[in-house]
């Protein structure tokens, strides 16, 4: 067997035996994705339900209160405006409504005063739900009055926008939440999954004085480092793809809130999954070369962890931006395909949307592969330097 694969098999066997690797690199992404999506689905499902929205109302006989009750809001009466404002300041009330003391007569406009903390988001959401309820009532009343006056209902909307969806790429596609979050999670776990064991691969062996045993074997140093790189790349790739397993588990078990998260279906088609794997292969190799290089340079595993923590910011910054690039016009710009890490996440986003950019994918894979090759060569050179390899 090729010495590189022998070393890789040895390292993989030790990695898979390590509980830290199994928990942080493989089980971690699955569990985190499942819990995160379950919580998000639960929260989104609860926010839009009027039955869960408490509305404080200054005691009134206005018929508008009955409209809110009919819409199934939780109406809580308070004796006065001052008492309601006190509840808002204490954080015990989202929004307070004050109705006119005398009901409107005829065509007169009835004003409803709303009080809330502008810095409290729950109050803003509650007010939006109340406003929607009153807008429905407003339209009903206006249509009734137009009909009584013999005026067509279309007069209420002189200019009407007709929306027509243009199908781009595959039908379906992932939800906005999945598109924004999944590429970020895949890239991050590819790095952190490999990071969990990288410090022990070289720096840890130097610290434990076990590296010498490996160096005296009839295997070249280049084969040793390439074997370690291959093993770490496998761990990095499997860790990143564990995020997809977490999504699949979430979709299969269908916990509360899953319907809110996957209104248009799972969204991860076989084609998009294949594209993700192709994009992550060179990226995993790049991350592995970076981590092995740092581990080779460091004197011990603690020093390696310090360097890796600083290195992680280079990965995190573009990965975070990938969550928001879809909200800008930059997502379709060609220069994005030239930015490492960001290009990988952005092309994953497009694949999940069902409209892969094949030119962008080829550019991204080529750039990641070139950087990975450069990283591997630098790591091999560093591993072959005697003063670096044996220093403790």
């Amino acid at each position: 067997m090729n010495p590189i694969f022998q070393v890789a098999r040895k390292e993989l066997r030790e990695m898979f035996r390590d509980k830290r690797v199994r928990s942080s690199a493989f089980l971690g992404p699955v569990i985190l994705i499942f819990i995160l999506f379950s919580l998000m689905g639960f929260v989104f499902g609860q926010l839009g339900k009027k039955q869960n929205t408490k509305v404080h109302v200054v005691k009134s006989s206005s018929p508008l209160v009955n409209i809110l009750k009919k819409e199934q809001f939780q109406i809580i009466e308070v004796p006065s405006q001052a008492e309601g404002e006190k509840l808002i300041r204490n954080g015990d009330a989202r929004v307070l409504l004050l109705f006119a003391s005398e009901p409107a007569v005829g065509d007169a406009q009835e004003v409803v005063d709303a009080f809330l903390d502008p810095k409290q988001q729950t109050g803003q959401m509650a007010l939006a739900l109340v406003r929607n309820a009153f807008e429905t009532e407003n339209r009903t009343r206006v249509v009734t009055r137009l009909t009584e006056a013999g005026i067509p209902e279309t007069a209420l909307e002189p200019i009407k926008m007709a929306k027509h969806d243009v199908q781009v790429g595959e039908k379906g596609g992932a939800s906005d939440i999945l598109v924004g979050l999944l590429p970020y999670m895949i890239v991050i776990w590819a790095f952190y999954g490999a990071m969990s064991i990288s410090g022990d691969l070289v720096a840890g062996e130097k610290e434990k004085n076990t590296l010498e045993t490996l160096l005296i074997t009839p295997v070249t140093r280049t084969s040793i480092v390439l074997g370690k790189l291959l093993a770490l790349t496998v761990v990095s790739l499997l860790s990143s793809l564990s995020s997809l397993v977490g999504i699949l588990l979430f979709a299969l078990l269908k916990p509360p809130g899953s319907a809110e998260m996957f209104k248009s279906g799972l969204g991860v088609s076989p084609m998009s999954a294949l594209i993700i794997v192709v994009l992550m292969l060179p990226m995993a190799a790049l991350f592995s070369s970076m981590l092995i290089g740092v581990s080779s340079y460091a004197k011990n595993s603690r020093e390696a962890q310090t360097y890796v923590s600083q290195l992680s910011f280079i990965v995190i910054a573009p990965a975070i931006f990938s969550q928001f690039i879809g909200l800008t016009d930059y997502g379709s710009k060609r220069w994005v395909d030239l930015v490492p890490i960001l290009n990988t996440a952005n092309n994953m986003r497009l694949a999940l949307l069902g409209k892969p950019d094949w030119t962008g994918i080829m550019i991204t894979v080529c750039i990641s592969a070139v950087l990975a090759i450069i990283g591997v060569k630098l790591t091999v050179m560093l591993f072959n330097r005697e003063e670096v390899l044996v220093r403790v």
Side-chain angles (χ1 to χ4, degrees):
M1 183 183 291
N2 190 299
I4 296 176
F5 293 108
Q6 285 183 321
V7 174
R9 187 176 65 176
K10 164 191 168 295
E11 296 294 344
L12 283 172
R13 186 168 55 246
E14 293 179 359
M15 289 177 187
F16 288 129
R17 287 174 179 172
D18 194 328
K19 291 182 179 180
R20 293 174 304 165
V21 178
R22 295 199 302 268
S23 60
S24 61
F26 305 134
L27 293 179
V30 175
I31 295 173
L32 180 63
I33 284 286
F34 183 83
I35 294 176
L36 181 62
F37 273 71
S38 297
L39 289 174
M40 291 174 65
F42 174 77
V43 171
F44 291 153
Q46 295 298 309
L47 289 178
K49 292 182 179 179
K50 296 173 183 177
Q51 300 93 319
N52 301 319
T53 304
K54 296 180 180 179
V55 176
H56 287 68
V57 175
V58 177
K59 194 171 183 179
S60 170
S61 59
S62 172
L64 297 181
V65 177
N66 293 328
I67 294 175
L68 295 179
K69 290 180 179 179
K70 186 178 179 181
E71 292 287 333
Q72 298 184 333
F73 284 93
Q74 293 186 33
I75 304 300
I76 302 174
E77 291 188 342
V78 294
S80 65
Q81 176 184 333
E83 183 66 25
E85 290 183 7
K86 181 180 178 182
L87 291 174
I88 291 176
R89 282 191 289 270
N90 293 337
D92 297 323
R94 295 183 181 183
V95 62
L96 172 70
L97 301 181
L98 175 62
F99 298 91
S101 55
E102 295 293 334
V105 180
D107 294 335
Q109 186 179 58
E110 185 172 351
V111 177
V112 181
D113 293 304
F115 302 86
L116 71 159
D117 181 358
K119 298 185 291 294
Q120 182 59 263
Q121 194 172 9
T122 55
Q124 300 283 0
M125 290 185 291
L127 181 59
L129 291 173
V130 171
R131 184 179 285 115
N132 287 338
F134 284 151
E135 285 179 356
T136 301
E137 179 66 17
N138 277 336
R139 184 174 182 87
T140 301
R141 293 187 181 186
V142 170
V143 169
T144 300
R145 292 174 184 176
L146 288 175
T147 303
E148 291 174 351
I151 301 173
E153 184 180 339
T154 53
L156 187 62
E157 194 176 6
I159 301 174
K160 182 177 181 179
M161 293 289 294
K163 178 187 174 184
H164 302 279
D165 294 334
V166 178
Q167 180 64 43
V168 179
E170 301 174 4
K171 282 190 175 183
S175 64
D176 293 339
I177 300 171
L178 188 63
V179 167
L181 188 61
L182 188 56
Y184 166 76
M185 297 298 294
I186 289 175
V187 171
I188 288 297
W189 278 110
F191 182 82
Y192 281 102
M195 173 182 165
S196 64
I197 192 64
S198 63
D200 293 335
L201 284 179
V202 182
E205 290 201 31
K206 285 195 287 186
E207 190 176 7
K208 298 172 185 175
N209 297 319
T210 58
L211 186 61
E212 289 84 351
T213 305
L214 188 60
L215 294 177
I216 61 175
T217 60
V219 179
T220 64
R221 292 190 178 185
T222 298
S223 296
I224 292 174
V225 69
L226 289 179
K228 289 178 177 289
L229 274 166
L230 180 58
L232 193 60
T233 299
V234 171
V235 171
S236 174
L237 185 62
L238 292 178
S239 180
S240 67
L241 297 181
S242 295
S243 300
L244 292 177
V245 177
I247 294 293
L248 183 61
L249 184 65
F250 181 84
L252 291 175
L253 296 181
K254 298 180 180 179
S258 59
E260 294 291 328
M261 300 293 291
F262 296 131
K263 289 182 178 179
S264 58
L266 180 60
V268 183
S269 65
M271 179 58 71
S272 61
L274 178 61
I275 291 173
I276 289 173
V277 173
V278 171
L279 288 168
M280 284 310 303
L281 276 171
M283 184 59 59
L286 173 60
F287 288 162
S288 299
S289 65
M290 294 164 59
L291 292 169
I292 291 288
V294 168
S295 185
S296 299
Y297 180 78
K299 295 179 180 179
N300 50 57
S301 56
R302 179 176 296 181
E303 184 178 332
Q305 287 299 115
T306 301
Y307 293 149
V308 168
S309 298
Q310 297 170 351
L311 187 65
S312 65
F313 290 105
I314 300 176
V315 177
I316 291 174
I320 289 177
F321 184 62
S322 69
Q323 295 185 82
F324 310 106
I325 196 170
L327 303 176
T328 69
D329 294 330
Y330 298 126
S332 58
K333 301 296 183 182
R334 186 57 66 198
W335 64 263
V336 174
D337 296 323
L338 304 177
V339 182
I341 301 174
L342 177 60
N343 53 9
T344 300
N346 187 53
N347 277 286
M348 285 184 201
R349 182 183 68 84
L350 294 175
L352 290 170
L353 286 172
K355 45 182 182 181
D357 178 7
W358 298 109
T359 302
I361 291 172
M362 287 190 291
I363 293 174
T364 298
V365 170
C366 288
I367 289 178
S368 298
V370 169
L371 291 176
I373 291 171
I374 294 173
V376 169
K377 287 189 174 182
L378 291 175
T379 302
V380 170
M381 290 173 57
L382 192 63
F383 197 84
N384 279 283
R385 290 180 59 184
E386 194 74 25
E387 66 274 17
V388 171
L389 203 59
V390 297
R391 66 174 185 163
V392 291

